[in-house]
Amino acid sequence: MIAFKALTRPASRSWRCWRCSFSTSPAIGNVETGPPPLLAQLRTDMKEALKAKDKTRGILTETTSLEKESKGIKTNKQLYKLLQKRKNASSNAAKEFQAASRQDLTEKENEQIAILQGYLDGFAITPEDEVVGAVRATIQELEVEGVPPKSDKVRARLFRPNGALEDKILDEALLAKTIKLMVHEVSPSKSSPVQA
């Protein structure tokens, strides 16, 4: 009898038995919490849309393909970024179709944008005052450590493991603007004005 060592491998890695073509993949989501709840709702809604012959199946396809890769969707932040990316792509496509006078395709993309916006509205966005407070506290930490507060160092400190904004969903433009303003307040440019 041949013992299959592949069956005793840890479940944390994907493997494929060469004899029977049986495969397994790692668990999706965090072991403790599973996939984000909004992802489960998204799957259910998209399956219903597929049954109804709806044309917005690209979202489900993309989330499924990401899960089959090693970097599946494990957090709400990852799902939010994916949906935001799809919405931006649809917005760009709608603009191009509008410029090409393709009203039918423009309407299709606008419908998909509305669906994506509905899902994006279900996420809790970190409020501005919390972002400002986290940036201020991080800059103060860097100053105490004697590290000059630069934008890239502040951002890295905010998103490191156990950082103030590690798994928070936030407006990236607001964060970039806040970091830039607060770093400039702390260490204004030392260049002197040009004399005529």
Side-chain angles (χ1 to χ4, degrees):
M1 178 111 228
I2 299 174
F4 290 103
K5 289 190 175 190
L7 296 177
T8 61
R9 288 187 182 165
S12 62
R13 292 189 293 171
S14 295
W15 58 272
R16 186 177 193 104
C17 176
W18 62 275
R19 287 185 179 239
C20 60
S21 297
F22 176 80
S23 66
T24 184
S25 61
I28 297 170
N30 295 338
V31 176
E32 300 86 19
T33 61
L38 199 57
L39 181 60
Q41 178 188 350
L42 176 69
R43 279 197 192 126
T44 304
D45 293 348
M46 294 310 293
K47 286 178 184 176
E48 290 173 10
L50 287 173
K51 289 178 185 175
K53 303 287 184 196
D54 196 352
K55 302 294 183 196
T56 57
R57 63 185 125 183
I59 303 164
L60 182 62
T61 304
E62 195 165 344
T63 57
T64 305
S65 68
L66 279 175
E67 288 172 4
K68 289 181 180 177
E69 295 176 7
S70 61
K71 62 175 183 180
I73 297 174
K74 296 180 178 97
T75 64
N76 279 334
K77 185 175 182 176
Q78 292 171 332
L79 180 60
Y80 181 83
K81 285 186 174 186
L82 173 68
L83 293 175
Q84 190 69 37
K85 178 181 166 187
R86 295 281 303 176
K87 181 185 168 207
N88 291 340
S90 291
S91 295
N92 292 338
K95 288 175 187 173
E96 290 177 14
F97 292 142
Q98 185 71 30
S101 299
R102 292 294 308 266
Q103 193 60 28
D104 56 332
L105 296 175
T106 304
E107 289 174 8
K108 181 180 168 185
E109 291 297 327
N110 286 335
E111 289 173 10
Q112 189 162 353
I113 291 168
I115 292 169
L116 290 168
Q117 188 60 47
Y119 285 111
L120 288 169
D121 291 341
F123 288 95
I125 306 294
T126 306
E128 182 178 356
D129 57 340
E130 188 176 334
V131 172
V132 170
V135 171
R136 182 173 287 123
T138 303
I139 289 174
Q140 289 172 352
E141 285 176 17
L142 289 171
E143 287 178 330
V144 167
E145 294 173 7
V147 178
K150 294 186 178 178
S151 296
D152 56 342
K153 292 184 182 196
V154 173
R155 185 180 258 300
R157 180 74 60 105
L158 286 168
F159 291 110
R160 72 180 181 186
N162 297 323
L165 300 176
E166 178 189 9
D167 287 328
K168 305 278 184 170
I169 298 170
L170 46 91
D171 181 4
E172 292 289 334
L174 170 69
L175 177 66
K177 179 181 162 189
T178 304
I179 291 174
K180 184 177 179 180
L181 287 174
M182 295 186 100
V183 166
H184 182 69
E185 284 177 8
V186 172
S187 58
S189 176
K190 294 180 180 168
S191 60
S192 58
V194 178
Q195 297 179 359

